[in-house]
Amino acid sequence: SFCSPDVCKGCKSCIKGEKLVLFIGGKCSRNCWYCSLSKNRKNSPQAFANERPIKNSKELIQEAIESNSKGAGITGGDPLVYFKKTIQYAKALKRKFGKNFHIHIYLPLVLVSEKKLLKLKKYIDEIRFHPSFLIDNSNQEEEIEKIKLASKIFGKENTGIEVPMIPEKK
C-alpha cells in the first residue's frame, strides 16, 4: 500500500505515476519461465522511454520532459547486459534534472559485482533485485552475499527484493 511507511520512495513515486519507465533492452542474463516480456521486446536491444522507442539520451530526456517525470525506473531484460548504456542514460537524467530526480533499477543478480554496484551508485538511488533463489533455490548463498554488498553500498533502505506474484503459486 502507498500508505505503508515501509514502501520505498521509488515505489511511492511510481504509484503516483511520476516516474518514467526506462526499458533499457530485452536481453537478460537469466531465462525465467515466468518472464513477462513480449516476443517483440525479449532479446531486442531496443530501448524505450515509457512506450516511446529511443536511440539516445536526447530522446530519453525529451520523453522525460514531455511526461513531466520526477524520476525513472530502469528495467529490462537485464540492465547490466547493457551496462554502458544504463550508466549513460542514468547519468544523462541526473545531469539534466539534478540529484533529486529519483532513479531506481531492477536487476537479476547474475552479472552483479562490487565494481558495477559502485558505478551504479553514482547515478542510481535505489536498487531492486530479482533473486533466482526465490524461484528454484539456485545460487542462494552467492545471491544473498551480493544483496548484502548492495545494501552496504546503497543502504538498507535503498536495497530491496522484488518477488513475482504468480497465481496458484506460494
Side-chain angles (χ1 to χ4, degrees), residues 19-111:
K19 285 215 166 178
L20 174 136
V21 176
L22 175 55
F23 180 87
I24 204 76
K27 291 183 183 178
C28 189
S29 57
R30 289 183 21 199
N31 189 23
C32 302
W33 61 268
Y34 58 86
C35 182
S36 62
L37 289 184
S38 70
K39 289 179 184 177
N40 293 337
R41 289 210 183 175
K42 194 166 189 150
N43 294 315
S44 170
Q46 178 63 59
F48 291 83
N50 292 330
E51 292 300 312
R52 178 186 286 182
I54 60 169
K55 294 180 182 136
N56 53 48
S57 298
K58 182 179 178 183
E59 292 177 355
L60 169 62
I61 298 299
Q62 186 61 39
E63 176 61 22
I65 291 168
E66 289 178 15
S67 62
N68 198 28
S69 298
K70 302 208 179 1
I74 302 174
T75 187
D78 181 349
L80 295 184
V81 170
Y82 306 93
F83 189 66
K84 285 184 181 179
K85 184 165 57 167
T86 298
I87 294 293
Q88 173 192 345
Y89 284 177
K91 183 178 182 178
L93 289 166
K94 288 288 190 177
R95 192 175 279 158
K96 174 67 178 175
F97 300 108
K99 67 178 182 174
N100 290 329
F101 189 86
H102 190 272
I103 301 175
H104 68 276
I105 192 168
Y106 298 96
L107 299 174
L109 285 143
V110 177
L111 301 176

Side-chain angles (χ1 to χ4, degrees), residues 148-170:
K148 286 180 181 178
L149 177 61
S151 183
K152 287 179 184 172
I153 293 169
F154 285 84
K156 287 184 180 182
E157 68 281 358
N158 297 316
T159 305
I161 296 174
E162 292 281 322
V163 181
M165 300 302 291
I166 303 167
E168 293 94 36
K169 298 285 181 185
K170 291 187 179 184

Side-chain angles (χ1 to χ4, degrees), residues 120-161:
L120 288 171
K121 180 62 179 138
K122 293 178 183 177
Y123 310 106
I124 305 294
D125 301 294
E126 290 180 15
I127 191 163
R128 307 274 183 288
F129 294 109
H130 297 285
S132 59
F133 68 78
L134 294 175
I135 305 301
D136 60 17
N137 287 333
S138 64
N139 304 317
Q140 184 172 0
E141 288 182 31
E142 180 184 343
E143 288 188 347
I144 288 172
E145 289 307 311
K146 288 180 179 184
I147 294 167
K148 286 180 181 178
L149 177 61
S151 183
K152 287 179 184 172
I153 293 169
F154 285 84
K156 287 184 180 182
E157 68 281 358
N158 297 316
T159 305
I161 296 174

